[in-house]
Amino acid sequence: MGLGVSVPAVRRRSLTRASVAISVAAGLTLTGACGGGGESGDDSLTVGVLLPGGGASRFGQFDRPLIEQKLKQLCPDCPAATVAATSEPAVQRQQLDAMITRGVDVLILTVVDAKGLRSTVEAAHRAGIPVVAYDRLAQGPISGYVTFDGATVGRLQGEALLKAMGAKADGGQIVMMNGATIDPNAGWFKRGALSVLKGKVKIGKSYDTVGWRPENAYVNMTGAIAALGAGNIDGVLAANDSLASAVISAFNATEVRPLPPITGQDADLAAARRIVSGDQYMTVYKPFKPAADAAVEMAVALGRGEAVESIATGTVDSDTTKDIPAVLLPSISVTVGNIKDTLVKDGMYTINQICTPKLRSACDKAGLTR
Ligand code: GAL
C-alpha cells in the first residue's frame, strides 16, 4: 500500500498548526461565518461526513460527536454536518454519490472499501469537492489525511502480547485475527504487529475478518480452536475490541481457563470492563479528539479554498496519490495497570461506567476506586 511517511521541509509552511487554528477562529469571530463559496453564493459551508459504522462503534460513539462539536466551534454559522454511516461498500458509494449530487462543499470520508470507492472519490474531485480521508486512507485524489499511525497500533499490540505471554513468547503459538482486507488500516496494523512477532512466536493461524464483523471472527476462532486445540493457543492478536470479544466468546465455549492473552483496539467500554475482569489483556487507546479536530480544521480550510499543508504534520503516499498532507497521531497501549491514568484521566469513561457491581472487587484490586 506504500504508506511511506515523510516530512519534507519544502512542503511545510512557516505557520504552526496552532497559529492556523487561531487564524481560522479569528476569521470566524470577525465575519461570523466561515466562507464556503457554495454554489448558491452564500457564505456557509456544508460538510459531508461519511463513516464506516454508527451506533456502538467508535465512529458512532466518539468520532461523530467530536467532529460535529468541532465544526460547530470552528464554524458556528455552518449548517450541521450531513452524516452518513454504513459498513456496506455499496451503500457507502450511494451515500457519497448523494452528497456529490447535493453539492456539499467538502467531505470527511472514512472509507469502507478503499479501492472500490476510488472512482466515486474521483467523481467528487471532478465536482470540485475536496475530500479529507479520516482514519482510513481512501484511494483517489484526496486533499488531506488524518489518522493514527497504524504501524504503531500493530506494534503496541504485538509487544503487549509478547509481554503477556511470558516464557511462551519464545516459540509459543498464536492466532492472528486481523481486520478487513478492504480497509487499508487492517494491513497496516498487521504489518506493525508482525514486525515484532515474526521470528518470536509461531503463527498457527491468521485470518482476515470480512467487514470487521465479529460473527466472522467467531467462526474463524472456532475453526482455529478446532484445528490447533484451545490449550495449544498461547495468545491471540485480535486487531480490535469487537474481534477480541468474538475471540473470547469462542474460547468461553471450551474448557480452557484462564484464557490466553488477547489484544484489542479502540478502548470500547466493554473492552475496558473485560480488561478489568481479566478476559482481555489489552486495548489500544486512540485519543479520538485530536483526530476529529484536525480533520475538521482541514475540511474547513479546504472548504474556504485554503491549503492544509500547515495543519499537516507530514505527508503520506497512497496507492494513487503522492504527498498527501497528513496528520499522524500516536496511540497508547492500555492494560489493567494504566486504565485509570489513560481512559479515566482523559474522561473517556468514569470509574462508575467501567466498574459495574459485578466488577467491584476486580476494580478495587486494579485501583479503580471512586
Ligand atoms: C479501523 C480503525 C479501527 C477500528 C476498525 C474497525 O480502520 O482504525 O479503529 O475501529 O477500523 O472499525
Side-chain angles (χ1 to χ4, degrees):
M1 189 193 54
L3 235 171
V5 180
S6 52
V7 190
V10 281
R11 291 192 61 88
R12 309 212 61 175
R13 296 205 307 199
S14 54
L15 279 173
T16 63
R17 186 162 156 208
S19 69
V20 168
I22 289 162
S23 73
V24 170
L28 288 176
T29 316
L30 289 174
T31 62
C34 52
E39 296 252 303
S40 58
D42 66 75
D43 203 27
S44 70
L45 191 65
T46 308
V47 181
V49 181
L50 294 123
L51 300 173
S57 77
R58 59 160 274 199
F59 295 102
Q61 259 202 295
F62 297 106
D63 300 272
R64 174 182 182 158
L66 287 166
I67 288 171
E68 289 173 333
Q69 221 173 21
K70 184 68 180 176
L71 182 63
K72 226 179 230 161
Q73 186 203 330
L74 281 191
C75 192
D77 294 332
C78 284
T82 308
V83 186
T86 180
S87 56
E88 291 301 323
V91 176
Q92 190 171 60
R93 193 172 317 117
Q94 287 162 10
Q95 292 172 337
L96 187 49
D97 273 333
M99 291 205 191
I100 296 169
T101 307
R102 192 186 145 165
V104 297
D105 294 301
V106 59
L107 286 158
I108 296 176
L109 167 67
T110 308
V111 77
V112 174
D113 177 354
K115 218 184 231 163
L117 218 71
R118 177 176 165 179
S119 57
T120 320
V121 170
E122 284 165 352
H125 183 68
R126 279 196 301 275
I129 305 171
V131 176
V132 176
Y134 184 65
D135 196 76
R136 302 179 180 176
L137 187 52
Q139 291 194 9
I142 58 168
S143 305
Y145 181 36
V146 177
T147 197
F148 296 87
D149 185 333
T152 304
V153 171
R155 194 175 41 73
L156 291 176
Q157 292 170 329
E159 284 169 355
L161 189 63
L162 291 180
K163 186 171 174 216
M165 285 170 70
K168 292 189 175 149
D170 188 12
Q173 173 163 259
I174 68 156
V175 171
M176 288 187 80
M177 201 59 68
N178 310 298
T181 50
I182 55 175
D183 170 1
N185 282 350
W188 205 10
F189 303 147
K190 195 198 309 195
R191 287 192 298 280
L194 285 173
S195 72
V196 294
L197 295 171
K198 257 202 176 141
K200 298 241 165 66
V201 290
K202 180 173 169 223
I203 296 162
K205 294 270 174 199
S206 180
Y207 301 93
D208 297 319
T209 310
V210 178
W212 285 98
R213 281 191 210 113
E215 315 86 83
N216 185 241
Y218 180 83
V219 169
N220 288 337
M221 193 64 221
T222 304
I225 289 170
L228 306 172
N232 300 322
I233 300 169
D234 304 314
V236 180
L237 191 297
N240 81 355
D241 290 335
S242 62
L243 303 190
S245 159
V247 166
I248 291 164
S249 300
F251 269 110
N252 282 341
T254 73
E255 301 287 296
V256 165
R257 298 293 180 278
L259 305 189
I262 297 159
T263 66
Q265 172 183 192
D266 288 341
D268 289 355
L269 177 56
R273 290 177 178 152
R274 289 193 297 266
I275 291 172
V276 172
S277 71
D279 287 337
Q280 183 173 328
Y281 178 65
M282 66 87 74
T283 186
V284 177
Y285 164 46
K286 298 159 138 179
F288 301 121
K289 185 168 162 39
D293 284 357
V296 175
E297 279 175 36
M298 279 191 173
V300 169
L302 288 163
R304 300 175 76 198
E306 295 169 359
V308 291
E309 275 79 358
S310 55
I311 298 168
T313 54
T315 62
V316 300
D317 298 340
S318 75
D319 285 350
T320 62
T321 314
K322 284 219 169 311
D323 292 337
I324 302 159
V327 174
L328 284 192
L329 295 160
S331 40
I332 300 154
S333 179
V334 173
T335 56
V336 72
N338 67 346
I339 286 190
K340 198 171 178 180
D341 283 341
T342 53
L343 307 186
V344 175
K345 193 169 152 220
D346 281 11
M348 250 324 246
Y349 307 118
T350 62
I351 290 180
N352 273 339
Q353 276 176 302
I354 299 171
C355 296
T356 56
K358 222 174 101 196
L359 289 177
R360 197 55 269 164
S361 72
C363 275
D364 288 345
K365 238 167 82 195
L368 288 168
T369 43
R370 279 160 265 219

